[in-house]
Amino acid sequence: MKFDNPPNCAIILLSTSFRGKFYVSEPYKKQHYVQKAILNSFGEKLSKNSTKIKYLDLSDITVKNDFTSNVFCVKNLYNLNISENDKELEQSINKNIETPMNSIRNKIANSNDEFVTLSNNEILTIKKYCLMQIYRNPINISHVENMCEDTDYIGKTQKHETESNLDYLKREMLYICENDLRNENEFNLMGVKYQTDSVLNSSIMIFRTPYEFVINDLGYACEMTYVNIKTELAIAQATGIEKYMYEKYHINNFDSYLKELEMNNYNIKYELCTILPISYNTAIIFLNKAWNHYTPERAIYPIFSSRIVNKYIASAKKATTEYSIIKITEKDTLNINFLLMDTAQKILGFKTAEFMIKSIDHYVYNLGKNLKYPLLKSKL
């Protein structure tokens, strides 16, 4: 059960004390919120160190082509005001998540077999990368920056009075980078513990398409559905859920959550799965640990991913460390692109105009909510 609203916003917490040496800051630096190595796979390589990617700019309804070093990034995203080394977070993301993730991506991409062997440490890196996308995407950053001071959230009592909400969020990101996360009993950050529970307990599937995925500015898409939890809630209350949530996450405002649920007729948004493209033709799917409990029959609106997952799940895993690389159809590729397009905010990268046009046609046919795509189609 999720308690955060809006969906996918990371709950902010304190992590570590000051560390590192003194460094002189650069005036500004472009820092990617979608890894440049992923963007490069969508683009055209011009030289050893330069690649251009085509993308739809949803803010001004144009199709553009630019270097991957210039897009899906903002100035000083990872700069720390809470550390003597303001580049500490950027360096830690690179060392502990993005560099090992590059090796995993290459391992999957270069595999000609129908499966790939992934160690427990590699699976942890993949899940940490997914968590980092949830934390650093533009929607979450904006949400945290604009959060009212009186907003209640898990772990708020651990925040220093002098810290901004954004600095606090970055401490959590640093904690994720530098800690193992596999033993929840060792967590001393309630927000990290709560936010990471779903991802760390997810099972994964690897999809490969002979067609093309798109890449949005979140770097992922969650398929959400509304489900009614009135029956489950009554059972949970009978078994002492208030005490459980306090002991596990230090949640002490459960009554206010119950009132909000009652106002919404006990309907909640539920994340069925998270779709994370790692290249133009490969994506990792994270299945919520209870995804099969909330079936399409219980959903309030149609679900794409459940049909895709049910179709392929029997062949998803061969053995403890072997993961099938599942080849998916054109229609399933288009369904995944629908979800990625529907959650795009300002920018959407793609490989070729031909399949982008097919994706737009599929999106419009299925009544996607972003009305800018039909206008962009004529410019491709």
Side-chain angles (χ1 to χ4, degrees):
M1 192 181 297
K2 285 271 187 175
F3 295 90
D4 49 330
N5 223 353
N8 302 323
C9 59
I11 300 174
I12 50 181
L13 273 149
L14 174 64
S15 61
T16 52
S17 58
F18 290 168
R19 287 170 295 176
K21 300 178 181 179
F22 178 75
Y23 290 79
V24 178
S25 298
E26 303 172 42
Y28 69 87
K29 182 179 180 181
K30 294 177 182 177
Q31 296 172 328
H32 285 79
Y33 46 81
V34 175
Q35 190 178 5
K36 185 180 173 183
I38 291 178
L39 301 177
N40 285 343
S41 81
F42 285 83
E44 178 186 0
K45 191 170 185 178
L46 303 178
S47 66
K48 182 179 179 181
N49 296 316
S50 65
T51 301
K52 278 192 168 184
I53 184 174
K54 294 183 281 292
Y55 64 94
L56 307 183
D57 190 329
L58 304 178
S59 62
D60 61 6
I61 320 296
T62 55
V63 179
K64 297 178 179 177
N65 190 22
D66 202 350
F67 292 102
T68 54
S69 56
N70 294 333
V71 292
F72 294 85
C73 57
V74 294
K75 296 177 182 178
N76 299 330
L77 174 62
Y78 305 119
N79 278 20
L80 289 177
N81 297 320
I82 57 175
S83 173
E84 294 177 359
N85 172 14
D86 66 359
K87 303 301 178 189
E88 183 179 12
L89 177 57
E90 179 186 26
Q91 293 162 356
S92 187
I93 290 172
N94 179 61
K95 175 184 176 182
N96 296 306
I97 297 181
E98 292 196 338
T99 296
M101 188 64 191
N102 277 340
S103 298
I104 296 167
R105 185 186 303 107
N106 291 334
K107 183 178 183 178
I108 296 172
N110 295 330
S111 175
N112 294 320
D113 296 325
E114 295 181 352
F115 64 90
V116 63
T117 300
L118 297 171
S119 68
N120 289 335
N121 286 337
E122 288 173 319
I123 292 297
L124 180 62
T125 296
I126 291 170
K127 292 183 175 182
K128 279 189 171 187
Y129 184 86
C130 181
L131 284 167
M132 198 53 56
Q133 285 307 123
I134 293 171
Y135 270 75
R136 68 183 177 181
N137 75 76
I139 290 181
N140 192 52
I141 295 296
S142 176
H143 171 75
V144 172
E145 283 183 312
N146 296 299
M147 186 185 294
C148 297
E149 287 300 320
D150 60 352
T151 301
D152 199 10
Y153 50 83
I154 297 173
K156 187 175 183 178
T157 56
Q158 294 177 289
K159 179 179 177 292
H160 288 169
E161 290 184 5
T162 57
E163 287 181 314
S164 71
N165 288 334
L166 192 57
D167 287 333
Y168 204 25
L169 175 74
K170 291 177 182 180
R171 283 205 180 194
E172 269 201 327
M173 292 166 68
L174 193 60
Y175 184 91
I176 289 170
C177 289
E178 298 187 350
N179 289 275
D180 187 279
L181 304 183
R182 281 177 284 201
N183 187 352
E184 69 171 25
N185 294 324
E186 295 180 1
F187 278 83
N188 58 6
L189 301 176
M190 291 301 103
V192 173
K193 184 176 183 179
Y194 177 77
Q195 188 66 26
T196 59
D197 179 68
S198 177
V199 173
L200 293 178
N201 288 289
S202 296
S203 55
I204 71 169
M205 300 171 71
I206 301 171
F207 284 173
R208 180 174 290 164
T209 177
Y211 304 95
E212 299 162 10
F213 295 121
V214 297
I215 184 74
N216 64 15
D217 43 5
L218 277 68
Y220 70 97
C222 285
E223 178 150 33
M224 312 290 293
T225 191
Y226 283 93
V227 294
N228 189 281
I229 62 164
K230 187 172 183 178
T231 301
E232 289 93 332
L233 182 62
I235 295 171
Q237 286 180 287
T239 56
I241 189 173
E242 292 94 336
K243 180 180 179 182
Y244 169 80
M245 295 304 289
Y246 178 77
E247 290 178 349
K248 187 169 184 178
Y249 301 119
H250 294 183
I251 292 177
N252 54 14
N253 60 337
F254 202 76
D255 285 344
S256 62
Y257 175 70
L258 291 176
K259 289 177 182 177
E260 184 179 348
L261 269 179
E262 186 176 2
M263 289 175 59
N264 292 311
N265 296 317
Y266 300 97
N267 294 323
I268 65 165
K269 269 188 176 181
Y270 183 81
E271 297 171 8
L272 290 163
C273 71
T274 301
I275 300 161
L276 187 79
I278 60 171
S279 74
Y280 80 93
N281 68 350
T282 306
I284 296 176
I285 314 297
F286 296 80
L287 303 180
N288 191 299
K289 59 184 178 181
W291 75 271
N292 57 346
H293 179 64
Y294 295 114
T295 60
E297 291 72 25
R298 295 191 60 192
I300 294 175
Y301 58 76
I303 299 170
F304 280 151
S305 64
S306 62
R307 296 199 300 268
I308 300 172
V309 167
N310 283 321
K311 184 176 179 180
Y312 297 109
I313 196 165
S315 58
K317 196 170 181 180
K318 295 285 186 182
T320 305
T321 58
E322 292 181 358
Y323 291 80
S324 298
I325 300 175
I326 302 167
K327 295 179 181 178
I328 65 172
T329 65
E330 180 181 44
K331 183 177 180 180
D332 292 335
T333 305
L334 291 169
N335 281 340
I336 287 174
N337 281 353
F338 177 97
L339 297 174
L340 291 161
M341 294 168 69
D342 212 42
T343 50
Q345 300 300 298
K346 296 181 179 179
I347 185 171
L348 187 78
F350 61 94
K351 184 74 171 174
T352 67
E354 180 183 10
F355 203 75
M356 187 70 248
I357 289 170
K358 283 189 176 183
S359 295
I360 290 175
D361 287 340
H362 182 78
Y363 183 89
V364 173
Y365 178 79
N366 286 280
L367 303 178
K369 64 177 180 284
N370 195 323
L371 301 178
K372 296 178 180 179
Y373 289 121
L375 299 175
L376 283 158
K377 179 183 170 182
S378 63
K379 301 181 181 183
L380 286 165

